[in-house]
Amino acid sequence: MAEDGKLHVVTFPWLAFGHLIPFLEFSNLIAQKGHKISFVSTPRNIDRLPKVASASSSLINFIKLPLPHLDSLPENAEATIDVPYHKLHHLKTAFDGLQTELTQFLKASAPDWVIYDFAPHWLPPIASELGISRAFFSLFNAWTGSFFGSSITDGIASRKSMEDFTVPPEWVPFPSTVAFRLHEIKRFRNTGAEESASSVSDWVRFRSAVVGCDVLLIRTCTELEPEWLELLKDLHRKPLLPVGLLPPFTRISGGEDGDQLNTWHTIKAWLDKQEEESVVYVTLGSEVTPSQDELTQLARGLEQSGLPFFWALRKWHGSAEFHSFELPVGFEERIKGRGIVWTSWAPQVKILAHGSVGGFVTHCGWNSVIEGLQHGRPLLMLPFLGDQGLNARALAEMEAGIEIPRDEEDGSLSPDLVAESLRLVMVDNEGRAYMNKAKEMKAIFGDRNLQNRYTDNAVEYLQKHRHLHKD
């Protein structure tokens, strides 16, 4: 630690842009307090990050560690968006290969803190041996962390069947619907089977991250989920600090290149022609891979709804290994003038901020939820994997939107129910309640001062609780 009391903090996110970007957001906020950041990732990922446009950018040093080559990964694959879902365990294996170089960097730079993600199960003991304080930064909220249970008693092992995950766990002391649907657990089991047979499981990684940390930082705030935060603290018996929701204030303005600006101008021109709060914005994230049938039924539901929509349906990167899709025959012709299917990069935050957008069809990834509710958009929730289903249950409890119904067993969609859900939120009188609730939640999600106070508190904690380095 420098004589002026400033910290040197190493941040080390998992290789997914849904993790890299919040880590960068948090790193930037720490740097704005005058602290030095070493942001560690792979070369291609660092080159693809949005530029940090602030006076603190000189305090952020990007450390590029080359990802070990594996024949099982596509060429130049360094992030989850580069890799088919069923091969993500290979990316985790390559990530684990960063251990030696990261250790050498930590030895040479002797930071005060290392803030790490769920994936590097090997990092906490290394940092401890080097006398470096350790913070696990969870990008999942407290209801998700609580659902999976204690890192001390192994909350996963206590549940033996798939059905055990479809009810709230016994350690939740208050009424809740936060649990998985049966079809979500089936999908999760099917996609994770190969990984569990050949790699360190995500649960083992998560447990190691929590057990080995000095403090658990979490991307949420007390105004949103006070009872879940208390429960999570009790479960892990660790200091627990919410760092705020990190809505994307600092990274949006001024970072686009010429092509991206032209893209936004094209999209904005169409949105400008639509009535206020009339458009349904549809996107299922960059990593969700819906089945062909799910895409077909969603398309038919959008068509049946009669509502204007903007569907960001980004095609995968041209690799034959990635899922391909087809829209119903004649779909784009029939919706011409009312809907747009956009198959390249789209500026999600700017679209959600536009006054013509009234509802948000989302897979319920935490990043997307934050971006939607930051602008007060009611959610039409269509979860697929991981924490998405848990987010959908909790947000439905809060009446921030509704879930688009699926078949409980196989998760299949009905175009009629898709259309009915869209019209309920966007047109029917009953839907005003969801619109109003989402606008209320904007006061939490979109309050920059409120969220920054959480970051300030977290940084103060890091300053007060750093370990003294050995001479």
Side-chain angles (χ1 to χ4, degrees):
M1 184 165 173
E3 291 182 6
D4 61 0
K6 298 302 183 184
L7 298 169
H8 176 201
V9 178
V10 172
T11 52
F12 187 50
W14 163 235
L15 307 177
F17 279 88
H19 290 239
L20 287 154
I21 290 177
F23 261 76
L24 179 60
E25 190 81 32
F26 188 42
S27 297
N28 189 35
L29 290 169
I30 296 172
Q32 286 178 10
K33 303 296 179 187
H35 304 291
K36 178 184 173 184
I37 296 288
S38 294
F39 186 101
V40 181
S41 192
T42 63
R44 189 160 177 249
N45 286 338
I46 286 174
D47 290 344
R48 288 185 286 181
L49 285 171
K51 298 296 180 279
V52 177
S54 72
S56 63
S57 58
S58 63
L59 289 169
I60 302 178
N61 188 25
F62 291 97
I63 309 299
K64 297 180 177 181
L65 300 184
L67 191 70
H69 173 75
L70 293 182
D71 290 337
S72 51
L73 288 174
E75 188 176 356
N76 296 321
E78 294 187 9
T80 55
I81 58 170
D82 306 321
V83 181
Y85 194 88
H86 68 279
K87 289 196 171 187
L88 284 185
H89 59 289
H90 295 302
L91 187 65
K92 288 170 186 166
T93 300
F95 178 82
D96 290 340
L98 296 172
Q99 176 177 338
T100 300
E101 285 207 50
L102 181 63
T103 302
Q104 291 171 348
F105 174 75
L106 293 174
K107 283 181 179 177
S109 59
D112 299 291
W113 283 89
V114 59
I115 300 177
Y116 58 88
D117 213 329
F118 80 95
H121 59 97
W122 37 266
L123 177 55
I126 292 171
S128 178
E129 180 70 22
L130 295 173
I132 301 168
S133 299
R134 302 162 308 283
F136 168 45
F137 182 21
S138 174
L139 297 179
F140 303 98
N141 46 51
W143 61 67
T144 296
S146 298
F147 180 84
F148 287 107
S150 172
S151 56
I152 301 166
T153 60
D154 196 346
I156 293 290
S158 65
R159 288 175 276 199
K160 306 299 183 186
S161 69
M162 288 194 291
E163 286 74 15
D164 289 341
F165 289 88
T166 64
V167 293
E170 59 188 12
W171 52 81
V172 177
F174 43 81
S176 174
T177 61
V178 174
F180 287 106
R181 310 274 190 221
L182 186 58
H183 65 84
E184 292 167 346
I185 284 294
K186 287 180 177 178
R187 188 191 289 248
F188 192 71
R189 285 284 177 92
N190 289 340
T191 54
E194 187 177 354
E195 175 172 348
S196 62
S198 61
S199 181
V200 180
S201 74
D202 283 352
W203 176 242
V204 168
R205 292 175 187 275
F206 174 81
R207 281 190 76 194
S208 300
V210 176
V211 170
C213 74
D214 295 308
V215 60
L216 200 166
L217 307 176
I218 183 168
R219 189 190 185 188
T220 188
C221 64
T222 306
E223 289 78 6
L224 180 67
E225 47 173 353
E227 69 282 8
W228 289 108
L229 278 165
E230 283 300 315
L231 174 58
L232 191 63
K233 188 175 181 179
D234 290 344
L235 287 169
H236 292 314
R237 300 172 201 168
K238 291 272 185 179
L240 178 68
L241 282 179
V243 303
L245 293 163
L246 304 180
F249 293 113
T250 60
R251 68 176 183 268
I252 289 308
S253 58
E256 298 91 342
D257 60 27
D259 288 342
Q260 291 174 333
L261 284 172
N262 289 336
T263 294
W264 168 236
H265 291 151
T266 302
I267 294 170
K268 183 177 182 297
W270 184 82
L271 291 172
D272 286 345
K273 296 174 185 175
Q274 312 306 314
E275 294 182 13
E276 186 175 358
E277 296 187 343
S278 67
V279 175
V280 181
Y281 174 57
V282 186
T283 183
L284 302 178
S286 59
E287 294 168 27
V288 166
T289 307
S291 68
Q292 178 59 60
D293 184 66
E294 286 170 325
L295 283 171
T296 297
Q297 305 314 324
L298 178 57
R300 288 176 174 162
L302 286 165
E303 184 177 351
Q304 284 180 215
S305 74
L307 296 168
F309 64 86
F310 185 98
W311 188 358
L313 183 58
R314 188 170 185 178
K315 294 188 177 181
W316 302 114
H317 303 266
S319 168
E321 294 185 85
F322 279 91
H323 175 74
S324 60
F325 58 82
E326 293 181 4
L327 294 168
V329 176
F331 171 77
E332 290 184 84
E333 185 62 33
R334 292 191 299 273
I335 57 93
K336 195 170 183 178
R338 174 168 67 85
I340 285 184
V341 179
W342 194 267
T343 56
S344 59
W345 174 83
Q348 176 160 300
V349 176
K350 287 188 172 184
I351 293 171
L352 286 165
H354 195 280
S356 69
V357 173
F360 181 19
V361 175
T362 174
H363 62 305
C364 281
W366 194 222
N367 285 328
S368 288
V369 167
I370 289 168
E371 290 171 359
L373 290 176
Q374 176 190 357
H375 295 291
R377 306 306 178 201
L379 308 175
L380 290 135
M381 297 177 277
L382 193 61
F384 287 83
L385 281 173
D387 63 321
Q388 297 163 10
L390 304 180
N391 291 340
R393 308 298 106 77
L395 292 159
E397 280 184 10
M398 297 176 187
E399 298 185 333
I402 62 171
E403 282 195 64
I404 297 174
R406 290 177 180 262
D407 181 274
E408 189 69 28
E409 290 286 329
D410 64 13
S412 59
L413 287 167
S414 155
D416 293 343
L417 292 176
V418 171
E420 185 180 304
S421 300
L422 295 175
R423 292 192 62 81
L424 170 64
V425 170
M426 298 292 293
V427 179
D428 294 354
N429 286 334
E430 186 181 339
R432 296 309 308 175
Y434 303 108
M435 290 267 192
N436 293 337
K437 185 63 177 180
K439 286 185 170 73
E440 282 180 30
M441 294 183 77
K442 179 180 178 179
I444 296 173
F445 283 76
D447 185 337
R448 180 173 187 169
N449 292 328
L450 171 65
Q451 299 306 328
N452 282 354
R453 281 199 293 273
Y454 281 99
T455 306
D456 293 345
N457 290 338
V459 173
E460 286 178 17
Y461 183 95
L462 297 180
Q463 285 184 282
K464 289 178 182 176
H465 293 84
R466 66 180 183 86
H467 292 164
L468 291 173
H469 293 307
K470 299 173 183 176
D471 293 331

